[in-house]
Amino acid sequence: MVTYLLPLLIANTAGRMVYGERGGVVATIATVGVIVGTNIPMFLGAMIMGPIAAWIMKQVDKLWDGKIRPGFEMLVNNFSAGILGMILAIVGFFAFGPVMLGISAALGAAVDWLVSLNLLPLVSIIVEPAKVLFLNNAINHGASAPGAAIIQFFGGIHEIYFPYALSKPTTILALIAGGAAGVTTNMVLGGGLAFPAAPGSIIAVTAAAIGPGVANLLVVYLSVIIAATVTFLITGVILRASRKRDIAAEGDAFGAAIAQTEANKGKSSAAMDALRTSTATTAPEATPAPATTAVAAAPIETIVFACDAGMGSSAMGASVLRNKLKKAGIEGVTVTNAAIANLDGAADVVITQQQLTDRATAKSPDSLHVSVDNFMNSPKYDEVVEMVKEQRKDEE
């Protein structure tokens, strides 16, 4: 499953995000060539080959878009996808796969070299800044700032602390020191994980550490405690030393840090939206004019929250609206979440973030579309609830 299934699932998902089902199929075929050409877990290869293959399929289809004679569409589509998939699989086997194998071997050799010299803690110099700059695997979960520690520790979503580090870049030094301290503890005491803990929750860490034995689990726990303590102490020194200067500084540094995190990530998320909302409540600003939501002509029975992946942010938004409908005593309305690519036009209302509304409209043109700034806390939810209420009153 690690060698074949998981990389192919990654490739298929990436392909679908680029070019729907067709992109997913071609991405999967192409990635098979990469896997067979290396015979090692090709997660990185799947993440690169998948979207590239789907993009190439998309460009190839543009060559004869609107030029196929009626009745020959299926023939051309099937043959083009099959032939292109075959070509990309061959390229993956003979060219792309060996390159990825070489990269993996080089990275493995680098790690072995660091271990042989007892320098593995130095990896933190690269890893910790890279995490903050969002070169990591983030899932769009999150909560407001007061719950950030719980979200990171138990939920494993480290995204929640990135804006704090970006708003005060010198604190990245504390992250590096804390990470190095944790790695050093495991090296000295012989601790470690049997498999990668993903997401980085203490629950996943426990599951990965308990395999080698209870003693190993205690060592891993100690490394977590030491890493957190070192990070806390150094951060405290940094913040204390610059406290007066920070208070005197003008501008919304934290808000800018949130924006920078989103720019590094390439999109917004529930965690960032929640942080922005909690920050906005501490600073007075002009109240924008309330935006209105269009009125639905047909009875509202199904509401779908849609985002890129169909989980995380949209799931959080669906939960919020579901609770609002329940408190309003409204029954018979199904609220779900889905990926934009999977919208089938059956939803009465589709709720998306503003930058995704056009894509959602193209996938589900007959639905009523509602745009929101963030999925965690939007006044549009109350408008939707009122709309459903008014419909129910008219029916009575």
Side-chain angles (χ1 to χ4, degrees):
M1 293 177 73
V2 171
T3 303
Y4 296 99
L5 178 61
L6 296 183
L8 291 179
L9 287 175
I10 292 173
N12 187 269
T13 301
R16 283 174 177 267
M17 292 178 69
V18 174
Y19 193 39
E21 291 184 9
R22 215 165 143 71
V25 171
V26 175
T28 304
I29 297 172
T31 304
V32 168
V34 180
I35 295 172
V36 176
T38 58
N39 201 32
I40 64 172
M42 267 287 108
F43 296 104
L44 184 59
M47 286 188 284
I48 297 175
M49 175 58 89
I52 289 177
W55 182 83
I56 293 175
M57 184 73 260
K58 185 176 182 179
Q59 303 310 310
V60 169
D61 280 349
K62 287 181 179 179
L63 295 177
W64 45 71
D65 185 29
K67 301 176 183 177
I68 305 174
R69 291 184 178 277
F72 289 86
E73 296 88 353
M74 183 176 293
L75 179 69
V76 173
N77 289 338
N78 285 354
F79 270 82
S80 61
I83 294 172
L84 179 62
M86 176 190 68
I87 294 172
L88 291 176
I90 294 173
V91 172
F93 183 89
F94 288 105
F96 191 83
V99 171
M100 298 309 302
L101 188 61
I103 293 174
S104 298
L107 294 174
V111 172
D112 291 339
W113 177 74
L114 290 171
V115 171
S116 66
L117 297 178
N118 293 322
L119 297 177
L120 194 57
L122 294 182
V123 175
S124 297
I125 296 175
I126 299 174
V127 171
E128 298 302 330
K131 285 169 60 180
V132 175
L133 293 174
F134 224 88
L135 300 176
N136 79 319
N137 179 28
I139 307 174
N140 292 331
H141 296 307
S144 59
I150 296 175
I151 292 298
Q152 179 187 344
F153 192 67
F154 292 105
I157 309 304
H158 292 216
E159 172 189 10
I160 202 77
Y161 75 75
F162 295 170
Y164 294 99
L166 282 175
S167 66
K168 189 71 174 175
T170 50
T171 58
I172 295 179
L173 296 175
L175 298 176
I176 293 173
V183 174
T184 301
T185 302
N186 281 312
M187 284 186 63
V188 172
L189 300 179
L193 305 183
F195 52 87
S201 162
I202 192 63
I203 299 173
V205 169
T206 300
I210 204 169
V214 176
N216 179 71
L217 178 62
L218 296 178
V219 172
V220 171
Y221 278 167
L222 180 62
S223 71
V224 172
I225 294 172
I226 290 178
T229 302
V230 170
T231 304
F232 174 79
L233 293 176
I234 297 179
T235 300
V237 171
I238 293 173
L239 295 180
R240 185 69 181 178
S242 59
R243 179 172 177 270
K244 292 183 179 179
R245 184 169 65 251
D246 291 341
I247 292 176
E250 296 180 358
D252 182 14
F254 189 61
I258 294 174
Q260 182 61 48
T261 297
E262 291 177 336
N264 293 336
K265 177 183 179 182
K267 59 181 178 179
S268 182
S269 72
M272 297 300 102
D273 292 335
L275 288 178
R276 183 184 289 105
T277 301
S278 65
T279 305
T281 58
T282 63
E285 57 180 275
T287 303
T292 58
T293 298
V295 178
I300 298 176
E301 297 179 350
T302 57
I303 300 176
V304 176
F305 279 74
C307 66
D308 274 323
M311 56 185 178
S313 295
S314 57
M316 299 281 282
S319 177
V320 171
L321 182 58
R322 202 177 291 120
N323 288 334
K324 285 182 176 290
L325 291 170
K326 184 177 180 181
K327 289 180 180 179
I330 298 175
E331 298 179 353
V333 178
T334 302
V335 183
T336 59
N337 53 285
I340 291 178
N342 293 334
L343 292 175
D344 57 6
D348 298 315
V349 177
V350 175
I351 302 178
T352 53
Q353 289 177 318
Q354 290 178 344
Q355 64 269 31
L356 301 177
T357 302
D358 289 341
R359 287 173 52 195
T361 302
K363 292 292 293 184
S364 186
D366 296 329
S367 303
L368 171 66
H369 289 267
V370 177
S371 301
V372 298
D373 291 326
N374 67 76
F375 280 137
M376 292 294 294
N377 183 23
S378 173
K380 294 290 187 72
Y381 296 164
D382 295 323
E383 295 181 23
V384 172
V385 172
E386 289 301 317
M387 188 193 310
V388 177
K389 275 186 177 180
E390 291 299 320
Q391 282 192 345
R392 299 298 169 89
K393 286 181 181 179
D394 293 340
E395 291 175 0
E396 293 175 357

